[in-house]
Amino acid sequence: MFVPVAGAPALARLLQTFAALPAIAGGVVVARPGDEARCVQLLPGPGWFVATGAGRRQDSVAQGLQGLPEGTEFVVVHDGARPLVRPALVQRVLEAAALYGAATSGLPVTDTLKVVADGRITRTVDRDGLWAVQTPQAFRRPLLEEAHRRARTAGIVATDDAALVEAIGAEVRVVLGDRDNIKLTLAEDVALATRLAGAGGSYRIGHGYDVHRLVPGRPLIIGGVRLDYHLGLDGHSDADVLLHAVADALLGATALGDIGQHYPAGDERWRGADSLLLLSGVTALLSEHGFRPVNIDATVVLEAPKLGPHYGRMCRNIAEAAGLDYGAVSVKATTAEGLGPIGVGEGAAAYAVALVAAG
């Protein structure tokens, strides 16, 4: 679920699809034990939660059902490894479930089917009426919960939720699925999904912005360089406005939140922290999700002191923390021409743009 598909983790891609649907109020991501924190980082917003899964698929779905809020009328179950689901398919399945109580997507089998034992064909299967079932599948919530309850009581094991509903004698309707709605199982599936999603998505751009107030009694650190000045930037860490903007640009490009989410101001571990270490941590997080920085361009807005003599050191610091060549980082500075709080010397701001590649 975390492998990048055309520049975005598979799970993030499909969650954004569901979150954009008016019919979907929220959801639960059922994560493998140990993966909960990674899933939380990819949630699309309020109303979305993470639950810890179990050993079997049906047990994991049951865990997810317990996390749904009261008043939920319909439930859509979808494989996290099917990142290319289209909104129209989700809507078709939901509409069928609203009419009949249970529905699944699927495709008529077009290949000739053989039963094989020890590499030898033993018989040919008549494919007439056979469908390959996909997800999404949708159900009235009470019906799905009852199917899971009876399965636990009777010891029924199934590979999808439609089968559990069938087992209690309820009708499940099939709507035409989508051949692009592939399931990521093998390495070549990822390559195919990336092509289907569009090669142009393999690069992503992020924008970062940060601002801090200038106060007495604090060191002035910008771009990892300590500057000789009578004021410093106020903040929980070293308040390096430039590095914070760069970190947010990288996180924004990869939909991995912002620097405040990963290094919260209320956490004492980060009090006075060196922002070069924070930027290195952000770079490592990108790598875990299959991304790498390509280049960074940043601008600091500050009345004084002059930053020009320090551009080289700042670029080298950023390049080292982000795993880039020196020539892939640009740092510039400008003033606010006396306008606003920054223009009168009350603070400093920074803007950054980052290009990030998948893989």
Side-chain angles (χ1 to χ4, degrees):
M1 293 192 298
F2 305 110
V3 66
V5 174
L11 178 59
R13 180 177 289 278
L14 75 89
L15 288 179
Q16 291 297 332
T17 298
F18 276 95
L21 282 165
I24 302 296
V28 178
V29 176
V30 186
R32 182 175 58 187
D35 283 342
E36 295 91 345
R38 296 179 73 183
C39 289
V40 167
Q41 293 171 359
L42 301 179
L43 294 180
W48 291 85
F49 308 94
V50 173
T52 302
R56 299 180 304 184
R57 174 196 170 90
Q58 68 191 65
D59 298 328
S60 292
V61 174
Q63 294 284 86
L65 286 172
Q66 294 177 18
L68 294 176
E70 293 295 326
T72 301
E73 185 178 2
F74 292 93
V75 180
V76 179
V77 181
H78 187 67
D79 296 326
R82 293 185 188 269
L84 302 186
V85 61
R86 290 189 170 102
L89 178 56
V90 181
Q91 191 63 37
R92 288 200 301 273
V93 175
L94 267 172
E95 289 170 356
L99 288 173
Y100 303 105
T104 182
S105 56
L107 292 169
V109 172
T110 57
D111 294 325
T112 298
L113 300 177
K114 306 283 188 180
V115 177
V116 178
D118 297 324
R120 181 177 59 87
I121 295 174
T122 60
R123 66 186 177 93
T124 299
V125 178
D126 182 4
R127 70 187 180 201
D128 187 40
L130 294 181
W131 285 58
V133 170
Q134 302 176 327
T135 63
Q137 301 180 347
F139 311 88
R140 291 190 180 276
R141 180 179 182 174
L143 175 62
L144 184 58
E145 289 178 331
E146 176 65 12
H148 275 270
R149 186 189 66 79
R150 291 202 203 176
R152 286 192 298 272
T153 301
I156 297 171
V157 178
T159 57
D160 72 348
D161 294 272
L164 295 180
V165 172
E166 295 167 45
I168 65 173
E171 178 184 359
V172 180
R173 286 295 178 117
V174 179
V175 302
L176 188 63
D178 187 340
R179 295 201 181 277
D180 288 351
N181 183 29
I182 64 172
K183 188 175 183 180
L184 304 183
T185 305
L186 306 174
E188 50 263 41
D189 298 330
V190 178
L192 175 59
T194 297
R195 290 197 298 272
L196 291 172
S202 59
Y203 288 92
R204 309 182 76 184
I205 296 173
H207 175 261
Y209 168 76
D210 195 34
V211 61
H212 285 278
R213 185 184 300 274
L214 283 164
V215 297
R218 290 272 300 184
L220 179 59
I221 301 173
I222 298 179
V225 177
R226 185 167 181 148
L227 303 169
D228 184 14
Y229 196 58
H230 67 285
L231 300 175
L233 293 171
D234 191 24
H236 184 68
S237 65
D238 63 7
D240 191 323
V241 67
L242 172 56
L243 297 186
H244 293 182
V246 169
D248 270 349
L250 293 171
L251 292 167
T254 51
L256 291 174
D258 59 41
I259 191 170
Q261 176 181 334
H262 298 285
Y263 304 105
D267 192 329
E268 287 300 309
R269 289 179 298 171
W270 314 121
R271 181 174 295 280
D274 182 344
S275 292
L276 283 171
L277 296 178
L278 306 188
L279 181 57
S280 295
V282 167
T283 304
L285 179 64
L286 263 64
S287 180
E288 290 174 11
H289 286 80
F291 296 102
R292 57 179 176 81
V294 175
N295 78 290
I296 294 165
D297 180 30
T299 302
V300 180
V301 186
L302 177 71
E303 294 301 301
K306 298 297 183 183
L307 300 186
H310 309 287
Y311 288 164
R313 289 174 60 197
M314 293 176 181
C315 288
R316 281 191 291 272
N317 287 340
I318 294 171
E320 183 176 346
L324 289 167
D325 292 333
Y326 174 73
V329 178
S330 171
V331 172
K332 309 175 299 298
T334 188
T335 70
E337 299 292 340
L339 300 175
I342 293 176
V344 297
E346 294 181 2
Y351 300 83
V353 177
L355 179 66
V356 172

